[in-house]
Structures are given as C-alpha cells and as structure tokens.
Amino acid sequence: MLRSILALGKSLLNSLRDLAPIILVITFFQLVVLQQPIPDLGGLLGGTLLVTLGLTFFIYGLEMGLFPIGESMAQAFSQKGSVFWLLVFAFTLGFSTTVAEPALIAVAAEAAKVAANGGMIESSEHAMHSYATGLRLTVAISVGLAIVIGVLRILKGWPIHYLIIGGYAGIVIMTGFAPPAIIGIAYDSGGVTTSTITVPLVTALGVGLASSIRGRNPMVDGFGLIAFASLTPMIFVMGYGMII
Amino acid sequence: MEWLTGLFHSLLATLRDVLPIAVVIFGFQLLILRRPIPHLKRVLFGFFYVLLGLSLFLQGLEQALFPLGRLMAEQLTHPDFMQNGSAGLQHVLNWADYYWVYIFAFAIGFSTTVAEPSLIAVAIKAHQVSAGAIGVWGLRIAVAIGVAVGISLGTWRIVTGYPLQYFIITGYVMVIIQTYYAPKLIVPLAYDSGGVTTSTVTVPLVAALGLGLAESVPGRSTLLDGFGLIAFASLFPIMSVMAYAQISEFRARLDARKKV
C-alpha cells in the first residue's frame, strides 16, 4: 500500500515537472512582457492540478493497457500468419481513428471555407459540407493506406528512407500542380491526423510486429508507422484539391 | 460546478476518440484472432485510466492554460503592442519588430512539446526498445527544440510572407541529406517524431498564434497565410532528432579516441 502511494506520488511529481515549462512560459509572458495580472489565479491553479492528474493517469494507463494490447495483437497476428487480415486490421485501425479525429474535422471545415472563397466550389452550406466530408474521408483513407504500407514495410524489411524520400518527391511534385490555396492546409493535415491515443497504439503495434518476426530489429523496423501516417495525407489532400 | 460539466464534456469527447479504436481492437480480437486477450482485466483498467487521464488533461488545459495562451497569442500579435516601444510614433512595422512573437513562438513550442503525452509515450517505447541507449529526456528535449525552432521560423514566414512550400521543400532536402549521415538506428524514430509532436497540447495554441498573426500583419490573409505552422512543427523535429543522434555519436567517438 505504502509503496503504491509512493509510486503515485513520484509519477505526480514527474507530471508536474513535464508541465512546469508551459506554466513558466505563460506566467512570464503575462507578468513580464504583457505586464498584466493573471486573471483567474484559482482557476489556473485548479486547471494545472487537473492537467497534472490527467497526465499521471494517462501514462499509468498507457503502460497497463495501450502498450500491452498493441504488442499482444501484433504477436497474435504474426502467429496466425495471415498477412491479409493483418493488412485489413492495419487499414481499419488507421481509417477509424482518423475519420472522427476532432482536429481533422476542424481543419476540413477551414479547408472548405478556403475552397469556397477561392471559387473552387459554390459557397453554399451544402457544397461546403460535402467538400469537408469528402476531405475527411480522403485523409482517413490515406492514413489507412499509410499504416498498410508501413506494416508491409515491416514484413518485407524494406529500408524506410527510400519510401519516405519517395513520399517527399510525391509531395514536391503535387505542390507544383495543386491550387495554391490548398497547399497550407495540405501541409498542416499531415500533422493533425495522429491523435494521442493512436500514436502509442500504432507504435506498440509496429514494435511488436518487428520483434515477433525473425530477422527484424525493433528499433530499425518497428518505428516509422507514424511517419507514413503523417506523409500520405499531404499528397492525398493536394490530390483532392486538384480533382474537385 | 462549471468545471464538472466541462469535465463531463471532455470525457464524452475522449470516449468518442477511444470508441472506434476499442471497436476495431476488440472486434478483430474476437472475430478474426478468436483468442482471449491476455490480462483482459488489466488491459480494461488501462483503457479506463487512459480515458480518465486524457479527459482530466484536456479539461485542465481548457480551463487554465488554453484561454490564457490564446489571449496571449492575440495580444502579442496585436499592432498596439508592437507600437508600445516606439513612444507613439506610428512607424511602419518591419519584420524585426515582431521579436516578442518569435520568442513566444519558440518558448511555447518548446514547453508544449515537453508536455505532449503522445511524445512521452513514444519516448518511453524508444527507451525500452533501444535498451536504454536512447534517453527519454534526450529524445524529448531534441524534439522540443526542433518544434521550437520550427514554429518561430514559421511565425517569421507569416510576417514576411514568403511562400510556405520553399521552406518545406528546403527542409525535405535537409532531411534527405541528414538521413545519409545519421546513425541508421535513429532514422525511423526521427521520421516518427515529426508526426507525434503535434497533438493535444501544441495544436490549439500554435493554431491560435498563426491565425492571430495572419490577421494582424498587414497584407496577410488568415485563410492563405494562417496555416503552415503545424507543418513546420512536424518537419523540424525530424532534423533535430537526427542531429541529436549525430552529436551523441560524434561525442562517443571523441571519447573513444581520447581513451586510446
């Protein structure tokens, strides 16, 4: 009992240390640069307490739930030996975690505004809504494909940098043809697709796969799934902007 | 009581985030793999903690840090704040007058990245997999420096109005060159760190900064120039993580030479 309380206290302190920089930055700019009092000190302290508790629980649950399930599924798939179902799983995981991602919904709505302003689509509510939905599906499909490509890479042992450099070349070529208004959003869409829950799960999946296949090094082959998931949306969003 | 309803809302939002993942995982486990999940109870508790933790985390940010951070981004980019130092002289602002914005961008990029939960997760995993060769803090600091440099360069781009793609393509060329010189073990992790940096904590504050800046700088449009900071924040960590590995390898080699 005492030991678990001590462990909890230690991880709370760790979380507080993780959050200290952000609190310092905000206080410094508020008091020294903008020279204004902190509007709601009680709320700020209460919020900081919630954030600290939240981060502690998250890290705790991460090592209890997300990491083990990702790895045990990777092992189960490699024992079952069915590449087809593994790839179906990879696609479904990528697609389903992305399509409902709040950051993506926000970006898609912004993109629809840009498209309507630029005269690419009608500026009616209906046209903007269907544009945004199409964009979300496009990004979700591209993330699903990215995880499939990433998993195939782990299975085959392809070196990652050829694929990534190929992806970069794709982005550069698409940039030359895509309508200028969509470029900023396309570049940003790469970063927003991977949420806080997806990242640990996908990382555990990749590392688990690489460690259960003989001849693969978890460090060299296990990482890289997230990299694909943040690369393909850029290409697909620019493609979407060109077609519509 | 207000924060309780807020907490309820963020709990619902997190649940909506977790639900598709849970459906996919348990669906495949039951229908395709057809085997019981090892330590099911423990895993379910783990999911519960993740859910609870993320909700508390988001609620706390929304209650305390985000409103202040957003307000700050607005105030720092406001023309009134820029004119302060020049004692009422309405001179034309040039890019150097925005120095507080660059400093703020650097500081907020660094500090939000250090607190980013998904980066902590990847750093823990990398530490385990590399058998301790990659330090949790080393990786996180390297990524945070990358994000900080990226975002402050990104704000400078918004102020000056240069096209985004030139910066990003130059960045790609840098990444490709570094890939050939960096230790092979770090390359996939470095590529990954680009995508993990920008989630819960960083995106809302950075987006507010970009939009505020594009609104207040004359001649910029929020729709065309307000975007792109996230792209900077996910490109620069790739370079900084590879640089971190190159520097540690270089130092190890120096040490080895001294001993001989």
Side-chain angles (χ1 to χ4, degrees):
Chain A
M1 188 64 199
L2 186 67
R3 193 184 290 169
S4 59
I5 290 174
L6 272 180
L8 183 70
K10 207 178 151 210
S11 39
L12 272 175
L13 275 182
N14 280 341
S15 302
L16 203 58
R17 196 185 50 192
D18 292 339
L19 293 163
I22 197 171
I23 297 166
L24 277 177
V25 167
I26 288 198
T27 336
F28 173 79
F29 272 84
Q30 185 76 359
L31 297 179
V32 180
V33 181
L34 294 165
Q35 295 180 346
Q36 274 159 11
I38 288 174
D40 175 15
L41 191 63
L44 185 70
L45 289 177
T48 310
L49 182 73
L50 288 185
V51 175
T52 314
L53 275 175
L55 193 58
T56 310
F57 280 128
F58 176 80
I59 305 282
Y60 196 59
L62 192 72
E63 306 213 41
M64 247 172 96
L66 286 183
F67 279 163
I69 191 93
E71 280 178 18
S72 80
M73 286 198 80
Q75 267 162 14
F77 269 114
S78 63
Q79 276 164 19
K80 191 177 163 70
S82 162
V83 174
F84 172 75
W85 282 116
L86 175 60
L87 295 182
V88 173
F89 174 69
F91 184 84
T92 324
L93 191 68
F95 182 87
S96 66
T97 53
T98 308
V99 79
E101 170 70 28
L104 177 63
I105 295 173
V107 166
E110 285 296 326
K113 267 188 227 158
V114 173
N117 268 25
M120 281 182 274
I121 54 169
E122 285 175 53
S123 57
S124 70
E125 188 116 327
H126 176 74
M128 274 161 71
H129 182 75
S130 68
Y131 184 87
T133 312
L135 190 67
R136 262 171 67 196
L137 287 176
T138 311
V139 173
I141 290 171
S142 71
V143 173
L145 282 179
I147 309 282
V148 168
I149 297 172
V151 166
L152 263 179
R153 177 192 85 87
I154 297 175
L155 296 180
K156 303 278 181 198
W158 295 330
I160 189 171
H161 48 271
Y162 293 130
L163 291 168
I164 295 287
I165 292 171
Y168 284 168
I171 293 172
V172 173
I173 293 167
M174 294 295 272
T175 306
F177 295 101
I182 202 89
I183 291 175
I185 290 171
Y187 284 5
D188 270 4
S189 70
V192 298
T193 47
T194 44
S195 81
T196 312
I197 300 169
T198 324
V199 166
L201 199 63
V202 166
T203 307
L205 181 76
V207 168
L209 269 179
S211 30
S212 54
I213 299 172
R214 201 175 300 167
R216 298 282 173 277
N217 176 332
M219 201 60 214
V220 177
D221 302 297
F223 290 94
L225 287 177
I226 309 287
F228 289 114
S230 39
L231 198 63
T232 52
M234 299 194 213
I235 301 175
F236 275 65
V237 169
M238 284 194 272
Y240 185 75
M242 279 157 67
I243 291 164
I244 301 287
Chain B
M1 276 303 104
E2 202 178 302
W3 71 275
L4 261 183
T5 45
L7 182 64
F8 183 69
H9 278 290
S10 47
L11 198 64
L12 276 185
T14 320
L15 201 62
R16 205 183 50 199
D17 253 16
V18 175
L19 207 62
I21 301 175
V23 169
V24 170
I25 286 182
F26 292 107
F28 269 86
Q29 194 81 38
L30 295 175
L31 299 174
I32 311 296
L33 293 170
R34 293 199 191 144
R35 63 169 75 193
I37 297 167
H39 313 294
L40 180 63
K41 212 170 138 194
R42 208 177 132 81
V43 168
L44 287 179
F45 264 110
F47 264 77
F48 172 74
Y49 280 127
V50 165
L51 197 70
L52 181 71
L54 212 52
S55 313
L56 286 172
F57 189 76
L58 289 176
Q59 175 54 28
L61 287 177
E62 209 46 69
Q63 186 182 324
L65 296 170
F66 280 172
L68 209 54
R70 282 199 202 105
L71 195 66
M72 223 166 252
E74 268 168 41
Q75 286 173 331
L76 284 173
T77 51
H78 201 271
D80 285 352
F81 174 75
M82 305 288 168
Q83 299 287 2
N84 253 355
S86 51
L89 265 177
Q90 293 287 320
H91 73 297
V92 180
L93 291 165
N94 68 5
W95 65 268
D97 291 321
Y98 289 88
Y99 60 94
W100 273 121
V101 173
Y102 311 137
I103 298 173
F104 180 70
F106 187 92
I108 209 80
F110 185 89
S111 56
T112 52
T113 307
V114 167
E116 197 68 77
S118 49
L119 178 61
I120 301 179
V122 169
I124 292 174
K125 200 83 224 167
H127 182 72
Q128 286 169 1
V129 170
S130 67
I134 293 166
V136 173
W137 274 99
L139 183 67
R140 284 169 64 191
I141 301 278
V143 172
I145 290 174
V147 173
V149 172
I151 293 180
S152 44
L153 197 63
T155 49
W156 180 74
R157 181 200 75 87
I158 295 179
V159 171
T160 53
Y162 292 119
L164 172 65
Q165 54 268 43
Y166 296 165
F167 288 84
I168 300 296
I169 292 172
T170 316
Y172 287 164
V173 174
M174 281 293 296
V175 168
I176 294 171
I177 295 171
Q178 272 186 301
T179 301
Y180 281 94
Y181 293 101
K184 289 290 156 279
L185 281 179
I186 201 79
V187 171
L189 184 63
Y191 288 161
D192 263 4
S193 58
V196 299
T197 47
T198 44
S199 25
T200 351
V201 199
T202 319
V203 171
L205 284 181
V206 166
L209 188 64
L211 291 176
L213 200 56
E215 215 163 84
S216 71
V217 177
R220 302 285 167 274
S221 100
T222 35
L223 289 177
L224 290 181
D225 301 294
F227 295 96
L229 283 183
I230 312 286
F232 275 90
S234 36
L235 181 62
F236 277 72
I238 306 183
M239 297 184 223
S240 64
V241 169
M242 286 201 270
Y244 160 71
Q246 282 171 298
I247 292 169
S248 0
E249 198 189 47
F250 181 69
R251 278 174 52 189
R253 216 179 285 161
L254 269 190
D255 282 352
R257 205 175 290 167
K258 263 182 209 158
K259 273 175 199 151
V260 170

